[in-house]
Amino acid sequence: MDFDVNTWRSGITVLSLLLFLALMAWTLSRHRRDAFDEAARLPFADEAPAPHAPNTQATGSNPQ
């Protein structure tokens, strides 16, 4: 069998389609629904990020 450019293109197209279908099946599976629903609610979380404490070690000052 002679592998020319068109054979490689066809193979890559079929492989891409299979990968796309596998990704869609994984995304739409019922087992992942809870994780995706939780991730979708993250932007609307009420908790504000904790303020960062000043780092006294980096400046070399001694708080005593």
Side-chain angles (χ1 to χ4, degrees):
M1 180 175 208
D2 187 24
F3 286 103
D4 62 346
V5 171
N6 291 324
T7 303
W8 287 108
R9 287 178 182 169
S10 298
I12 291 172
T13 301
V14 170
L15 180 64
S16 298
L17 176 64
L18 292 175
L19 288 173
F20 175 75
L21 292 175
L23 179 64
M24 293 307 296
W26 176 75
T27 303
L28 298 174
S29 70
R30 294 181 186 200
H31 300 289
R32 301 285 306 162
R33 183 170 297 189
D34 293 336
F36 287 135
D37 286 342
E38 182 181 344
R41 289 188 299 269
L42 281 177
F44 305 110
D46 288 332
E47 298 178 20
H52 292 99
N55 188 356
T56 58
Q57 296 291 343
T59 61
S61 63
N62 192 350
Q64 296 176 354

